[in-house]
Amino acid sequence: MTDQKPFTGRSRQRRTRWAVALGDTVSRVLITVGGIGTIVAVSTVFVFLLWVVIPLFLPAHLGFIREVPGAWIANNGTEDAAGATETDANPVLEFGVDEFQTTGWVLDARGVVTSFEVKTGQSLTEQDLELESPLTAVTSVPGFSVHYLAGEDGKVREADFGFATDFLPSDDVSDEARALAPEQMMLYETEDDVGMLQKTTQGQYRFQTLNVEVGEAMEFFTAPVRLLTASMPGNELILAAMSAEGELTVRRHAKRENLLTGTTSWEESDSATLTIEKRNGSLPKHLLATGAGDQLFVIWEDGLLRRFNIRRLAKGLVAAEEIDLLPAAEAHLSHVGFILGQNTFIAADTQGELRSWFSVRDAQAATPDKTTLVSAQTYPPTGSPVTAFSASSRSRIFAVGSDDSRISIYQATTGSRLASKLLSADSVKKSTAPTSGASNGEKRQPITHLLLTPKDDGLISIAGDRFVQFAFDPRHPEATFTSIFRPLWYESYPEEEHVWQSSGANQDLEPKFGLMPLIFGSLKATLYSMLIGAPLALLAAIYTSEFLTPSLRVKVKPTIELMASLPSVVLGFLAALVFAPFVEEVISTIIAGAFCLPICMLAGAFLWQLIPEPWSVILARWRLAFIALCIPIGMSVSTLLGPVVDNVVFAGDMHRWLDGQIGTGTGGWFLLFLPLSFIGMGVISSRWINPWMRERSHRRLWSGKRFIVIDGVKFALLGVVSLLASWLIALGLNAFGLDPRGIFFGTYVQRNALVVGFVMGFAIIPIIYTIADDALAAVPEHLRSASLGAGATQWQTAVRIVVPAATSGLFSALMIGLGRAVGETMIVLMAGGNTPVMDWNVFNGFRTLSANIAVELPEAVRNSTHYRMLFLAALSLFILTFIVNTIAELVRIRFRRRIVEL
Amino acid sequence: MTALVPPNTEKPATTPAASRKSRRRGSPAANIIARGEPMVWLTGGALALCMVMIIGLLVLVLIQGSTTFWPTPVIRAHLQDDSIRQGEVVRRETFELTRAMTKNLPAESQQAALTWMGDRETIVAERMLVRVGNFELTNTHYEYVYPFEIQPDGLTYPEWAMTIERMEWGRFFGTPAQFIVKHTRVLPQSEQELKALLEFFETNADRIPAEYQQAVQSALSKVDEEYRRIRQKNSAAFLKKYPPAEGMQIFVVNDGGDPVESSAETATDAVGEVWHVWSDPSRAFAAYEVYHNDVRERRTEINSLEKHELGEINSRIEEGRLALRQIEMAHRVNLISPIDEAEFARLEWSGENERLANAQAALSQWTGRFGDASPLVVAANRILAELNEDAASRHAAWENLQNELREQVNALPPAASKALESMLKIQEASNYDTQRVMTQIDELRQENDRYEFRLQTAQGAEVALPLAEIVRAFPANKIGYFDRVRIYVSRWEEFLLDDPRESNSEGGVFPAIWGTMVMTVLMSLAVVPFGVLSALYLREYAKKGLVLSAIRISINNLAGVPSIVFGVFGLGFFCYIIGASIDELFFSAKLPNPTFGKGGLIWASFTLALLTLPVVIVATEEALAAVPNSMREGSYACGASKWQTIRRIVLPRALPGIMTGAILAMARGAGEVAPLMLVGAVKLAPELPVDHLYPFFHGERSFMHLGFHIYDLGFQSQNSEAAKPMVFTTTLLLIVMITLLNVSAIWLRGRLRNRFRVSQF
């Protein structure tokens, strides 16, 4: 073949030119790479969302950094053992570190403050506070650097353990300091101070020194102070102390600012005293004053708590409530401490059980101030007696140390244990002094002191004379599977609830990340819009494909598709600014219209049947126009009926009726059951009345005309009967004391689910309509022809042949509409009211996942828990719509395959 | 389906003597029930309702949007309590008044309402929402006027009530009181010189050496005498230039005095200004019309000078500053604050220097006039020498600072000193430029200040409105139909071409239109190539199988993923990861202020490109599928390669389909707002994303968007009543834009379908 000469005489190149081959290869590679790359790029959306969300669920990290011998602890311990409490060889009363974890300090019972370098444990300075007597109690106010020290002399002093930060000029620092690498630090001495010097990344020299200032003594008792607590609500200071003799004094101080010197001082404004009797021979062991300054808790070791309301001290101290914190009698309370905000306290007992308590308002409470203490959360137990406790100063995390040298960290609200770790094995081995508290004979030292560092990024513990530093990363403790999807008992809430409240007015208010209200909002919006949109769209599609003339069809379909391209922001704006106020005005008319319009159309159909056949055949061309005419008629009827509805159903004033101020539940039930009873009557009619009538007609008892009239009368009668039926049901339900208000109805809010449902109907109707119409149109013509040929009417063909054949297509149309409704943002954002409540009330607002993202994401701090939670919301939306759409798509593919086979 | 007549048209079954079979078929009940007319009507009703809803909505937007700009008459309502409301009627609405509700009314109108109601329990009437304007006086834009509040015959349409649209404070309603044109007397040189001399000695009185005090004083009194003589002569000549004319008053402002009507008695020897005043409303308005255009033009010029020239200068300085900041960061030195200090010192010196130069120039003239030996000249020389010293010390301070800086930089690599020098140069140049532009602006401002329109409000207060602040003014009750059309058109013009003002509730939406357009075009540039590539791969290259259908399902799915999810992705990925990395690499000098690490035009475009990718892929695939296989086979048979076939045969035929996809994507993108809220659309972006400043395209800038504009106005606006008309017009604009895009896509699709008919589902 190849050597045959071509008939044109020209020799033809038989091999593909290299340029063509190259072009082919290049294009193939390019298209393949580009195509697959694009598809991969799109799938990164999912991957990226996941990547941001995953850290939410990563466990907290608690890593051992170092262990240093605290020489000063040992020294003090030996030197001063006699002066300190007998049972504890360690005289450390309080300790703290700066926020960079460079320098720490300890305060011992002598009133000596020792600062030390955290890294080496080497002591830097020693400062005697020169108190006249040994210290017996120390308390601090969370969030402030001030501490209150009480001594054997019965006096309380304010002491501010502040870290002074200084930036040294680079000319002044020593050569050794200059040699530091950025971020590196060293012990540094200036002429008058010793502290830590750190070179920052900006090349500055940050010099940190501990600065302790002790205020004037405030005299409380003559006897030693045994317990002390403080709180600072607003510009007040509340100090409560108990002496060794059981005398309890609470003092309220107001802040006074000296305008000349600029210093502030506390001036006593109110006080009260009470002597607490011994119980089982012992005085209370813990004393706590809440952060709001309104409650004082006096707690005995056996778990009894006596609550005092200290809002008005002038009335004296009267116990408001007594509660047993330890219903199980075996254990004793070992530690009680507040977490951030000083509202919730954690009670730890000698068996290692931990519970959180806070007070809630409860109108039913038996207490005089209608407040009661509740135990909101129980934490995974530590297993052995709790010996140390520390609460974070920036989040609701607390750490406890236990007798078997275990450290456990918890999130207070969610109740989850974030981390739990034994002090390293080394430290256990090295521990020298056997402790009295260890019960199981192992040489594990109890943790005597524990401290969560100011930035929540570290944990320092003291066990014996050793001192262990951990790195701590809580990650996102507020977000756990439980806290996101299950109701939680948040502080001051009366019960467990789903709450979304991402940010509060101040730091004390915990963020509440319950996604359920938002998911609920999305579902509510979807439900109401589908209730309105889906029937309209499906019915309209059926009419379009089965009854509309082709010439009209090509005009109608694009018009409705045009609706799909309406930007949702336009719909949202119209919903919020035009429809919402309008609907509020004419709500009863709209409710009347919901029933009047279909009834008008049915009535129109019965009238249409009365038209003699030859006429109706000619008029059929304009049937849609006649149907459309029913709309204004129906609307005017409903305008007339509106006041009637108002009077009959809503007792004359809808808003007040909805608020539950007037009327009974009958009207509401009546409205709810009206559609049901209409449907029921329809079923009864087609099941029993129509066959009966058909039979009469077969027997030639009724002529055609007469039948039509009877049919119309039947329709009218059924209408009246269903009205009566639903009224009766409503009366019955009302008699049982049931009221739909509070369930399906409730207070009217201008931007509500009804408005959103109505307007979102606009958004989803065209989508459902187009796909449903396509599906119906895809049913092969021969099926229709066969059905019509066999004598079926158009309606019969539509209902019995076309719709069943297209069911799966219609289903996928609904699913796609659903997918759109779930994720719609602008309409719900503008017209949904944006309150994250879980309430089925049609007339109340809601907040959807999508609107929440739009509102909060711009303000969310990058990589914060809030930010990741919003990503989780986006991911849930993505997954939700993906599932819905995939189902729709699979059904549609099946439908397409089946329809071809038909 | 074409059968309109029900196909089972049977004989009316009225003949009693029919066979059993035919009787069954012909039973009227079976017939009528089978036709299911009520159900058909219900389905038809659903369709009709949908149509009514969509058409009603469009008509609502169309009517509200298009009537907003129509100028309406100004109404004046004289109320029972003798107060007056004057303004445009925004709308009339019915309200229901019951006896109980009257208690909530203000005390004055309670009685009126009760008498008006008579013995009826409730009454339904019409109230008016009146836009009363004059916000700076009334503290409200709108007020309801109830029928019972109005005095009998209290509702009038004052002939000369003017509607005035202003740059600030919203509308103003009032009647023209006066229109004033001020003519300032330009001082001839001789007078000017003498005045300057007198002023010089007055300001520097404490510097005159003691021994010269006497001599200078006596010399100055002579100068003063001469000055007065010249001034009087000049004033008289100046007055003559402005003779009184018909319908116009002439006022004279003497130096430092109030304006007085010009007459023989009031003529003085020191005329500063002459005012032409038209007090008759028609003449005042006529004068306004004469001058307003020029004034507005100057105002526009001022705006453009401020925006463009000063903007350019600032961007130059910013650039130099960034270069320095980079060096600062690289070498850990401190440059920017010292350079600012030096600049401050220079400004001090240059101010001093200018004053000095002026005095010096004057001195040389006096020397010519009075001779070297005159005590005046000698004293002036002494004073000047002193001033010179001051200036020199300031100059030295500046030089010192500069030198210190140079020394510091010299230790660094040469690039640093180069940057410093260029910054210094930029500062010097920009200083000169700023001066020049500011002088220009000042001149224009002064010229504009010559015109003043004084109006009287309905309450009787007289308010002077600077002419430059008036956008548009017309006597609303006097103008004819054509004038109304003219105003209507000009308002549309302003809407389409101007910047917004009054927190977006007035003015135009040009930046939003521009932003939407640029964003949409950029988006389609990003989405179309990739969409087409993917579609080509899926349709022409990929092997059919499970994977392919999975991919196809996912792509269809993506079309259904909520747009806000893409917004979240865009913010997290484009802005916070890619943008932040770009910032770190190239714009570290600006950190911590993000350049690309925040929402911006390109990120918005990319996000929307992702969002609309499925639209393009699906449309392109459809178009590719519509190309008959026989054409491909024919091409292969002719020996064409696959790529040649695609390029020459398939793509040209699929082009309309691809374009349809692109247009549909643009329509979707233009209307999408939710993701844009997260990735860069803002309420007000003074700088356009594409402008005349190098590099012309600023992808990192935030932008305005029509859809976001609607959201912001309708939802976040303080005064939603005032914003409403604007939202409607913006909505109309957006809908028209999107509808045009969609209609063109549908038209294209229709053409494509007609060419290659294939079933669509």
Side-chain angles (χ1 to χ4, degrees), chain A residues 749 751-752 756 828-835 845-847:
Chain A
V749 178
R751 293 180 178 175
N752 58 40
V756 169
V828 288
L829 175 61
M830 295 173 84
N834 283 331
T835 38
F846 52 86
R847 177 182 269 203

Side-chain angles (χ1 to χ4, degrees), chain B residues 25-45:
Chain B
R25 199 192 292 155
S27 131
N31 231 336
I32 288 160
I33 293 170
R35 244 192 281 155
E37 202 64 41
M39 296 311 292
V40 175
W41 275 59
L42 274 188
T43 57

Side-chain angles (χ1 to χ4, degrees), chain B residues 301-612:
Chain B
E301 210 181 324
I302 292 174
N303 273 354
S304 96
L305 281 175
E306 278 176 350
K307 198 167 160 185
H308 296 148
E309 306 252 327
L310 291 184
E312 208 167 337
I313 292 168
N314 282 339
S315 76
R316 273 207 313 259
I317 294 180
E318 191 56 36
E319 241 167 70
R321 197 175 271 271
L322 279 181
L324 277 188
R325 173 86 188 115
Q326 231 138 20
I327 288 160
E328 262 192 351
M329 290 193 337
H331 303 286
R332 298 189 184 284
V333 286
N334 197 7
L335 293 178
I336 288 183
S337 52
I339 213 167
D340 284 346
E341 251 169 64
E343 177 64 13
F344 187 70
R346 205 186 68 85
L347 280 177
E348 274 191 341
W349 165 72
S350 75
E352 190 79 42
N353 199 33
E354 199 181 331
R355 253 171 287 146
L356 202 62
N358 284 344
Q360 210 101 44
L363 181 67
S364 65
Q365 280 169 350
W366 307 330
T367 323
R369 213 175 153 125
F370 302 103
D372 296 345
S374 148
L376 280 183
V377 174
V378 176
N381 262 327
R382 288 278 285 274
I383 294 170
L384 275 176
E386 237 175 85
L387 288 176
N388 246 330
E389 241 166 68
D390 276 9
S393 74
R394 283 186 200 277
H395 190 249
W398 167 49
E399 297 255 285
N400 261 348
L401 280 169
Q402 259 194 351
N403 287 338
E404 264 173 41
L405 261 175
R406 287 209 173 92
E407 248 168 59
Q408 196 180 351
V409 169
N410 278 342
L412 303 176
S417 65
K418 223 165 118 190
L420 179 71
E421 289 308 319
S422 89
M423 178 67 190
L424 290 174
K425 216 173 276 167
I426 287 171
Q427 269 185 344
E428 202 155 336
S430 66
N431 238 304
Y432 171 74
D433 284 344
T434 315
Q435 195 95 42
R436 180 175 53 82
V437 175
M438 291 309 283
T439 327
Q440 245 173 317
I441 289 177
D442 272 351
E443 270 167 22
L444 290 167
R445 282 235 169 91
Q446 265 168 19
E447 180 62 24
N448 270 358
D449 284 345
R450 285 180 52 212
Y451 306 95
E452 206 176 288
F453 201 7
R454 292 195 177 178
L455 292 119
Q456 196 173 27
T457 65
Q459 289 76 25
E462 197 165 286
V463 177
L465 296 179
L467 213 51
E469 286 291 304
I470 297 177
V471 177
R472 200 176 285 109
F474 52 90
N477 298 336
K478 254 185 92 72
I479 50 173
Y481 186 76
F482 284 105
D483 280 331
R484 281 179 205 279
V485 172
R486 199 171 47 79
I487 290 163
Y488 182 72
V489 171
S490 87
R491 279 178 174 175
W492 267 105
E493 200 178 306
E494 186 198 355
F495 177 70
L496 293 178
L497 298 179
D498 271 8
D499 285 352
R501 54 191 157 83
E502 297 272 320
S503 67
N504 291 3
S505 66
E506 298 267 345
V509 291
F510 178 72
I513 299 176
W514 186 243
T516 312
M517 261 170 51
V518 172
M519 199 267 307
T520 313
V521 168
L522 202 63
M523 176 206 78
S524 43
L525 283 183
V527 71
V528 172
F530 286 105
V532 172
L533 270 185
S534 312
L536 273 179
Y537 170 74
L538 289 176
R539 214 15 103 170
E540 307 285 335
Y541 284 91
K543 288 198 182 69
K544 287 208 167 59
L546 208 62
V547 179
L548 189 64
S549 39
I551 289 178
R552 212 160 266 147
I553 289 176
S554 325
I555 287 176
N556 273 336
N557 262 336
L558 273 178
V561 168
S563 53
I564 188 85
V565 174
F566 287 97
V568 172
F569 172 78
L571 180 75
F573 188 71
F574 291 135
C575 304
Y576 285 165
I577 291 194
I578 298 192
S581 318
I582 293 177
D583 274 2
E584 234 150 70
L585 284 177
F586 303 109
F587 298 94
S588 51
K590 276 193 192 170
L591 287 175
N593 290 340
T595 311
F596 278 93
K598 59 168 179 48
L601 182 72
I602 50 165
W603 302 141
S605 306
F606 284 179
T607 307
L608 286 193
L610 263 185
L611 177 80
T612 50

Side-chain angles (χ1 to χ4, degrees), chain B residues 148-211:
Chain B
F148 53 81
E149 287 181 321
I150 304 170
Q151 287 186 359
D153 300 327
L155 216 58
T156 51
Y157 291 89
E159 189 194 357
W160 270 106
M162 302 262 300
T163 303
I164 294 165
E165 293 163 39
R166 301 181 286 177
M167 296 297 289
E168 271 162 18
W169 299 107
R171 299 234 168 137
F172 187 90
F173 298 99
T175 43
Q178 283 175 334
F179 189 86
I180 300 168
V181 181
K182 301 171 186 171
H183 302 277
T184 314
R185 188 164 66 90
V186 183
L187 304 184
Q189 190 172 352
S190 53
E191 191 182 337
Q192 173 77 47
E193 271 171 23
L194 290 172
K195 197 179 173 196
L197 177 65
L198 288 170
E199 273 167 12
F200 178 79
F201 279 104
E202 200 175 323
T203 50
N204 294 309
D206 51 339
R207 290 182 196 255
I208 303 172
E211 64 265 35

Side-chain angles (χ1 to χ4, degrees), chain A residues 33 120 197 294 387 709 751:
Chain A
V33 169
T120 56
L197 185 77
D294 56 347
T387 52
V709 173
R751 293 180 178 175

Side-chain angles (χ1 to χ4, degrees), chain B residues 632-643:
Chain B
R632 290 191 186 85
E633 283 153 9
S635 167
Y636 291 142
C638 290
S641 74
K642 188 160 189 170
W643 172 239

